[in-house]
Amino acid sequence: MEEQNLSPMTPNALVEHPEGGRFQEVFRSAHRVQTDNAHERSALTHIYFSLNPGEVSRFHRVTSDEVWNLYRGEGIKLTLWDGSHRRPKSVILSALENCFCHVVPAGMWQATEPLSDKVLVGCSVAPGFEFADFTLMDPASAEAEQLRALAPTLEHLISGV
């Protein structure tokens, strides 16, 4: 089997992501797997993802497990919500917390924001990411209303403003 390496990050190759921020896919496994619902996916994908100060990655979910890794910047606050009546939880990825990666289980609502300065993170998804498996929270949805009731201070992560 041919060896596959990550593509180098090219700052001008980062493109706008629907959830906010910018990304560049740098790896898509040639190995294919079948998901529980019989869709075929790459075994693994990996992107670089960048946020500037004041930008957020709005609440979204994917149907696969996702690993976030901090590469550059002070850190990020990753906010996770299971869609229940429980309040969302936050995880800080930063050198000060001695925490550089976190696994977000499949189907979990997630949003993130930089702690201060510009950040660069990596996101690995397995089975591999496809936009067909991506749901961006609709700010007018019942889920958004429920989240607002549980945590009104997270409005900026729901609406992006």
Side-chain angles (χ1 to χ4, degrees):
M1 179 174 211
E2 184 179 316
E3 182 178 328
Q4 299 170 351
N5 292 310
L6 292 178
S7 302
M9 187 183 82
T10 311
N12 294 338
L14 295 174
V15 296
E16 299 294 318
H17 199 291
E19 74 199 42
R22 287 148 308 287
F23 79 104
Q24 176 189 354
E25 183 174 284
V26 292
F27 178 77
R28 180 169 290 274
S29 175
H31 181 74
R32 306 291 286 179
V33 296
Q34 199 155 38
T35 64
D36 290 343
N37 57 5
H39 292 110
E40 189 175 283
R41 298 286 183 256
S42 291
L44 175 74
T45 56
H46 185 76
I47 64 167
Y48 293 134
F49 184 76
S50 177
L51 288 168
N52 291 324
E55 290 183 321
V56 300
S57 162
R58 292 177 37 215
F59 271 104
H60 64 283
R61 62 183 171 192
V62 295
T63 60
S64 298
D65 295 334
E66 182 169 5
V67 181
W68 286 72
N69 293 279
L70 178 65
Y71 295 140
R72 289 189 195 149
E74 183 182 332
I76 61 170
K77 180 179 179 183
L78 185 60
T79 303
L80 307 170
W81 182 51
D82 64 6
S84 73
H85 294 290
R86 290 190 294 263
R87 291 183 48 78
K89 298 188 186 278
S90 294
V91 175
I92 303 292
L93 301 186
S94 78
L96 287 174
E97 297 289 326
N98 199 32
C99 182
F100 300 95
C101 70
H102 186 79
V103 178
V104 177
M108 179 77 67
W109 288 106
Q110 56 181 298
T112 194
E113 56 194 319
L115 296 178
S116 62
D117 58 344
K118 183 176 183 173
V119 293
L120 178 68
V121 298
C123 297
S124 300
V125 178
F129 179 84
E130 295 289 341
F131 272 104
D133 303 330
F134 171 85
T135 304
L136 186 61
M137 184 178 282
D138 179 347
S141 69
E143 289 156 323
E145 289 304 315
Q146 181 180 354
L147 184 53
R148 283 183 185 99
L150 291 168
T153 60
L154 298 182
E155 177 62 37
H156 65 296
L157 298 174
I158 298 168
S159 63
V161 245

